[in-house]
Amino acid sequence: MQEDRNGSTSLFLIGNMKLVKPGGEVISLGARKTRAILAILALASGEKVLRSRITGLLWDQSNDARARVSLRHALSELNSLVNGRIPGLIEIERAAVRLNTEKCWVDVDAPGEHVDQLLQDLDGISPAFDSWLASERLNFEERQRLSLERELRQLAEGDAAPGLQAAVARKLVNFDPTHEDAVRHLMTAFAKIGDRAQAIREYERLRQELRDRLGLSPSEETVRIYGAIRRAASGAEEPTPHVFAAGLAAAPGQGSQPSIAVLPFRNLSVEAGHDYAAEGLVEDLIESLSHVPGFFVISRLSTLAFKGQQRVPKEIGEVLDVRYIISGSMRLAGDRLRLTVELTDTQSGAVLWSSRLDERFFDLFEVQGRLAEAIVARVAPHLRSAEVARVSIKRPEHQDAYDLLLRGQELMHNPSQAVFDAAGPLFEAAIDREPRNAMALAWKAYWHVMRVGQGWSSDVADDTLAADRLATRAVGCGTMEAMAFAVQGHVAAYLHRDFDAAVGSFETALQINPNSARAWLWNAATHAWMGRGAEAVEMVHRALALSPYDPLSYAYSGIAAVAYLADRQYARAIEFALRCMHEHRTYTTAHKMLIVALVLAGREVEARGPLRQLLLLEPQFTIQQYRCRSPHCAGPLGELYCEALARVGVPAS
């Protein structure tokens, strides 16, 4: 069988059957039984297939004479449709038929990841053919499994990079979600690259699949690896128990990442059947909390064991390895719902926040989602405040890389330049403690980008070089950290106007984490600079939905203004620019976008006030400087924006 399809006819059996000539022309294969004959020949791998074998599979409910006549008609059709276009592809003899595999590339014999079913459009031809097809599908799937297992074993024996092992293990898990060996490799790979949260999620997913599909629990070997990962995440100094767990030393910054669990809510309703409402609320709450950046949210399956139990917060925190828990109760009576919620620090036992919510409802499912959003909107600021307070009382010598990173992030959204500048040394200290901490490196690179964007840089070339160097180091850490690639893309777009490179980096970031809000955000900005306003608006909506409680919310509002401006939705651009200025009064991007949007909307007089504020923040701002520094000026809208700024009185140079 030819491995190289170049210049060969291609026969696709995975998914819907298709025969394609060199150059891309698709050949019609006629009736379903005619196509089934070609499938039988292809899966015989070049061997002859007896006519009696074909009639037995396709015309098993006809007498022999009728079956032979039907086969002759089908072979005649196949000869006309196929051999008439590709002479000699099908060899038809008196007693047997054969596919000439020297003239045809068949996808089932080629390596690769196959996700579709074999011959998925040929079910129901006849009972005998269906039985044969089921057997062929099992054989095909087994070959796939063995090939992936062999590839994974070779990578493990060769001590390949964790990312490579994770990619192959993922294929195997996608193929068979209950494949424990693949899940163990996947968990270990994620742990080695520092993403213990994802490793734990893989374990939880396996546990649920085994329970739902087979009624089983994970093996002791898998549980031991899971335990080793959790202990490493909590900083416990215990030896890793298995060869797969070798190398699970504490990864940069991961052990300090705050985690939170939502315990099952108590149902205080008279009707016990309302348990489902409490469970639905918890699921919605976990989903909403997962969008709060910087927190690892424990799955609902992990907390089910605490349903109906009265245990102290410290004990729950130790069992689940979480710093915070949310608990509560729900009471339904008629069309009224009363919800009581608490946020508790498991280490101190202190209640950080509590609230009671009363709702009248018509649709219980709708009110669940609304309450979940309301709770998260109240809880998220308290979570972040608790973390900042916890870090601030630590002595400097006891602060780890995560603590320093958190403090730096907190300072970055302060409108004061002096406070903002103080974030830089904190990021640097975090990097000194953990030189391969991709998140700290990425945030320090972003800090340099913002210095340039805000006009606070005393040496733009130096800040640009620093941002380049740090973003490259972040990506080179070998971790599957979406933020590293997102920042790399932002540096390429904002500082170098290399939009193609930027989009490539964003695509990589979103392959790693499709829910990376910052990747979507900066991708939106890049598309706006490229003049693709509609796409930019769509992307910024995705970013806002994924990170509604980000402490750097002004950046989201500012880029939303950029996106709407590129899409010529000037009223919306003005709205988001004003919102951004309210959130961060010195964020000059918002002032510039507001001025341009007002001018282009025909409200030139109103633009003079924002211009005065802008020139107070950036006294040296000129059209020439804007052309040199704004990535807008590398796209089709740059001159339009420069003209708008000039019309309202921005100096030319």
Side-chain angles (χ1 to χ4, degrees):
M1 185 72 61
Q2 295 183 17
E3 293 296 333
D4 183 3
R5 56 190 286 197
N6 292 332
S8 299
T9 298
S10 301
L11 178 57
F12 297 91
L13 304 182
I14 301 165
N16 293 331
M17 188 176 179
K18 184 168 60 175
L19 184 65
V20 182
K21 287 185 64 178
E25 180 189 353
V26 178
I27 299 174
S28 171
L29 295 175
R32 295 183 78 222
K33 287 194 175 182
T34 304
R35 288 152 55 203
I37 293 173
L38 183 57
I40 293 168
L41 300 179
L43 291 173
S45 300
E47 298 294 322
K48 292 182 179 181
V49 181
L50 294 175
R51 287 182 177 232
S52 59
R53 172 63 172 158
I54 298 173
T55 56
L57 289 175
L58 299 179
W59 292 277
D60 55 322
Q61 295 180 319
S62 302
N63 61 47
D64 289 348
R66 173 179 275 181
R68 286 194 296 271
V69 170
S70 297
L71 175 60
R72 282 200 298 273
H73 285 305
L75 288 175
S76 176
E77 181 181 33
L78 196 61
N79 185 55
S80 174
L81 292 171
V82 177
N83 281 348
R85 311 297 297 278
I86 310 162
L89 183 60
I90 300 173
E91 300 171 358
I92 303 174
E93 300 177 358
R94 184 177 182 83
V97 189
R98 174 181 176 271
L99 177 71
N100 184 349
T101 56
E102 296 300 317
K103 294 188 174 185
C104 187
W105 174 93
V106 184
D107 60 353
V108 294
D109 295 310
E113 182 183 4
H114 307 299
V115 294
D116 291 326
Q117 190 179 49
L118 181 71
L119 298 169
Q120 65 183 20
D121 56 341
L122 288 186
D123 287 292
I125 288 180
S126 73
F129 182 82
D130 284 351
S131 177
W132 171 84
L133 182 55
S135 175
E136 289 294 329
R137 284 172 176 166
L138 286 175
N139 290 337
F140 172 61
E141 290 173 1
E142 186 61 22
R143 290 199 303 273
Q144 276 192 287
R145 182 200 307 275
L146 291 174
S147 175
L148 289 170
E149 287 176 343
R150 181 169 56 254
E151 185 179 0
L152 183 58
R153 186 168 56 251
Q154 290 170 348
L155 288 173
E157 290 172 353
D159 197 25
L164 292 176
Q165 295 191 48
V168 176
R170 172 65 70 202
K171 293 178 185 178
L172 196 47
V173 170
N174 288 342
F175 179 75
D176 178 4
T178 63
H179 199 299
E180 282 203 64
D181 187 46
V183 174
R184 287 194 291 266
H185 278 84
L186 197 56
M187 290 166 60
T188 304
F190 278 124
K192 285 182 176 179
I193 60 182
D195 194 351
R196 291 197 179 84
Q198 185 60 39
I200 291 169
R201 283 193 284 271
E202 296 298 337
Y203 174 82
E204 296 290 351
R205 189 178 297 119
L206 170 69
R207 187 167 67 171
Q208 183 175 1
E209 291 286 348
L210 287 171
R211 185 195 65 188
D212 293 348
R213 293 188 180 206
L214 305 173
L216 299 174
S217 299
S219 67
E220 291 184 7
E221 187 176 12
T222 305
V223 173
R224 283 198 301 272
I225 293 174
Y226 168 70
I229 292 171
R230 288 199 68 88
R231 285 193 296 275
S234 64
E237 295 182 1
E238 296 186 27
T240 52
H242 190 271
V243 63
F244 285 120
L248 296 189
Q254 295 297 318
S256 299
Q257 185 184 30
S259 52
I260 184 168
V262 183
L263 301 183
F265 278 28
R266 289 172 290 135
N267 175 26
L268 303 181
S269 307
V270 176
E271 300 179 35
H274 284 147
D275 277 350
Y276 72 90
E279 292 170 1
L281 176 62
V282 169
E283 286 194 8
D284 288 349
L285 190 50
I286 289 171
E287 171 65 21
S288 297
L289 277 170
S290 68
H291 294 160
V292 178
F295 284 86
F296 172 48
V297 186
I298 298 293
S299 78
R300 187 175 71 87
L301 292 174
S302 297
T303 63
L304 279 177
F306 296 95
K307 185 174 183 179
Q309 295 188 22
Q310 296 293 328
R311 299 171 73 170
V312 298
K314 186 173 180 60
E315 183 181 355
I316 296 172
E318 290 173 349
V319 172
L320 294 177
D321 190 21
V322 294
R323 187 170 294 156
Y324 304 100
I325 56 173
I326 292 177
S327 58
S329 63
M330 175 186 285
R331 186 188 301 275
L332 285 165
D335 63 349
R336 299 199 66 86
L337 179 150
R338 170 166 291 179
L339 187 68
T340 303
V341 190
E342 287 185 351
L343 172 67
T344 305
D345 185 326
T346 62
Q347 295 179 354
S348 67
V351 175
L352 303 175
W353 169 83
S354 65
S355 182
R356 189 176 74 182
L357 296 89
D358 289 288
E359 286 274 345
R360 184 185 294 274
F361 66 91
F362 299 100
D363 182 339
L364 189 56
F365 291 107
E366 183 274 333
V367 82
Q368 284 175 195
R370 184 154 41 85
L371 282 172
E373 290 295 329
I375 292 168
V376 174
R378 291 168 170 82
V379 165
H382 287 278
L383 282 172
R384 188 159 190 91
S385 295
E387 279 295 284
V388 172
R390 181 186 63 80
V391 169
S392 64
I393 62 175
K394 276 189 173 184
R395 293 179 61 82
E397 63 269 22
H398 295 154
Q399 291 179 352
D400 59 21
Y402 168 77
D403 298 332
L404 294 162
L405 176 61
L406 182 63
R407 287 179 58 202
Q409 291 171 343
E410 188 70 14
L411 298 183
M412 267 190 73
H413 68 275
N414 192 290
S416 163
Q417 180 182 351
V419 176
F420 172 90
D421 286 345
L426 291 171
F427 293 138
E428 200 62 48
I431 295 167
D432 287 343
R433 280 169 169 74
E434 294 177 359
R436 294 185 61 78
N437 187 318
M439 187 64 81
L441 289 162
W443 273 88
K444 183 65 188 298
Y446 181 34
W447 181 82
H448 283 286
V449 175
M450 283 196 64
R451 276 168 57 85
V452 175
Q454 285 289 94
W456 290 343
S457 174
S458 58
D459 188 333
V460 172
D462 186 61
D463 275 302
T464 299
L465 285 172
D468 279 333
R469 175 175 49 81
L470 289 159
T472 301
R473 282 181 61 189
V475 168
C477 285
T479 63
M480 296 178 71
E481 177 54 68
M483 177 68 174
F485 288 93
V487 165
Q488 183 185 52
H490 192 43
V491 169
Y494 192 85
L495 297 180
H496 298 292
R497 308 184 188 186
D498 189 344
F499 301 142
D500 290 339
V503 169
S505 294
F506 297 137
E507 287 175 353
T508 302
L510 292 169
Q511 286 171 0
I512 295 170
N513 178 11
N515 293 325
S516 172
R518 294 190 187 283
W520 284 110
L521 181 71
W522 291 328
N523 205 1
T526 300
H527 279 74
W529 297 328
M530 296 164 70
R532 300 178 183 175
E535 294 171 75
V537 167
E538 184 178 342
M539 290 175 179
V540 87
H541 279 179
R542 183 72 177 268
L544 287 165
L546 286 169
S547 195
Y549 312 111
D550 196 302
L552 295 177
S553 58
Y554 67 87
Y556 290 76
S557 299
I559 290 177
V562 170
Y564 277 111
L565 186 58
D567 200 36
R568 292 177 166 78
Q569 296 189 47
Y570 300 131
R572 294 287 280 161
I574 292 167
E575 173 193 339
F576 275 100
L578 289 170
R579 182 188 302 181
C580 179
M581 291 164 63
H582 174 73
E583 294 164 339
H584 192 309
R585 66 179 185 275
T586 64
Y587 191 55
T588 56
T589 294
H591 292 75
K592 295 165 189 172
M593 293 303 96
L594 178 60
I595 294 166
V596 172
L598 286 169
V599 171
L600 295 179
R603 298 161 59 180
E604 189 171 317
V605 173
E606 295 176 57
R608 301 190 185 280
L611 175 61
R612 285 193 294 271
Q613 296 176 33
L614 173 62
L615 294 178
L616 287 173
L617 295 170
E618 280 192 55
Q620 307 304 316
F621 181 66
T622 63
I623 300 294
Q624 181 181 357
Q625 184 196 68
Y626 185 73
R627 281 199 177 95
C628 292
R629 283 176 28 193
S630 174
H632 273 124
C633 294
L637 298 174
E639 281 308 307
L640 177 66
Y641 294 176
C642 286
E643 291 170 8
L645 292 168
R647 279 167 56 187
V648 81
V650 174
S653 59

